[in-house]
Amino acid sequence: MSSAGKFHRLLVTGASGFLGWHICRLAAADWSVYGVGCRHRVTVAGITPVTGDLTDSGFLATLFDRIRPQAVIHAAAASDPAFCEGHIDEARRINVTATESLAGQCARSKIPFVFTSTDLVFDGTRPPYSEDDAMTPISAYGRQKAEAEHRVTACWPEALICRMPLMIGLSGGFRGTFSLDMLKTIEMGASMNLFADEFRTPVDGQSAAAGILTMMGKAAGIIHLGGRRRISRYDMGCRLAAIMGREDANIHPVSIKDVATAAPRPPDVSLNSQRAYRLGYDPADLDLSLEKMVNAFRKGRS
């Protein structure tokens, strides 16, 4: 984290969520971290929790005046595609309006701003996707993130946009992950249907957070922080079952073409993250991350 000496007060939004929790936890060793949450309590030791509504411009102005941050990482989002599809205006206020307001505040203060975007800005028909590929979102969530990217770039050209993949693992935040749901289902011995033809480049939360903190001092513009392995949810479930010693797990492959979902699902949004790898981003091996998650889960229940 070579940039740590440059910044003293770091503001992290979404600090009660999965990614924000991991960012705060890692950054606390080197920065004075202020973690913003809205509806849920921020539970990271060693940081200053802040409660407020990022869609309230008055709150943001007061927050910046009081804290005077020297860098901002914006990890808060309405990130459930189904929610965004059914609550477009509410989701847009969080995903677009609040993002633009934060970028504007950072532009006026001339401080680093990191915006966490998503691999779902692509339609999944021409993977793997590099930073130079055109955005072609097919869901409301993807369209809102794409719009936010444009607005961030327009108001603060020095901002860093980190496109994040599917994230796995455990955290102390209020939001779980799909991988945790899979783990619990396998542990219970329940039946589970998983998409065999939907591909991502997943990464564990700690690697994602470390990548963001590393890139903040080294890059501007758009950077991809995907994992090193392209995998389907079905194959990931099978890998998790094998690690758990549950090769007999009741996991069934299904197709995205045969399952009705609230939001459209792109078939393959695998990210090409070579640019970040060359800059020092080094995500953990997927199997090792799954093993670590299983061990932490079982330790927590013992």
Side-chain angles (χ1 to χ4, degrees), residues 193-195 254-263 265:
N193 296 330
L194 294 175
F195 292 120
V254 294
S255 171
I256 58 174
K257 299 175 184 177
D258 299 329
V259 179
T261 57
R265 306 182 77 98

Side-chain angles (χ1 to χ4, degrees), residues 30-47:
D30 298 296
W31 283 277
S32 177
V33 180
Y34 295 79
V36 182
C38 182
R39 298 182 181 88
H40 303 275
R41 188 168 62 92
V42 178
T43 59
V44 184
I47 76 162

Side-chain angles (χ1 to χ4, degrees), residues 268-286:
D268 190 342
V269 289
S270 301
L271 296 177
N272 177 341
S273 301
Q274 292 300 319
R275 185 176 298 177
Y277 298 159
R278 290 193 295 269
L279 291 172
Y281 173 52
D282 188 20
D285 175 79
L286 179 63

Side-chain angles (χ1 to χ4, degrees), residues 31-88:
W31 283 277
S32 177
V33 180
Y34 295 79
V36 182
C38 182
R39 298 182 181 88
H40 303 275
R41 188 168 62 92
V42 178
T43 59
V44 184
I47 76 162
T48 302
V50 180
T51 301
D53 182 359
L54 295 174
T55 65
D56 180 347
S57 58
F59 165 72
L60 285 182
T62 300
L63 181 66
F64 269 70
D65 286 343
R66 179 165 62 89
I67 294 175
R68 298 192 179 280
Q70 290 160 291
V72 175
I73 299 176
H74 179 35
S79 58
D80 180 356
F83 174 84
C84 294
E85 213 71 32
H87 304 81
I88 289 178

Side-chain angles (χ1 to χ4, degrees), residues 102-127:
L102 278 163
Q105 290 279 0
C106 291
R108 286 187 286 276
S109 301
K110 292 185 168 48
I111 61 173
F113 177 64
V114 181
F115 169 52
T116 58
S117 188
T118 175
D119 53 6
L120 296 179
V121 297
F122 301 113
D123 63 10
T125 61
R126 295 186 176 183

Side-chain angles (χ1 to χ4, degrees), residues 214-232:
T214 298
M215 293 303 107
M216 185 167 67
K218 294 183 177 180
I222 298 170
I223 198 85
H224 286 178
L225 296 180
R228 297 184 185 276
R229 188 188 305 185
R230 170 185 177 271
I231 192 169
S232 70

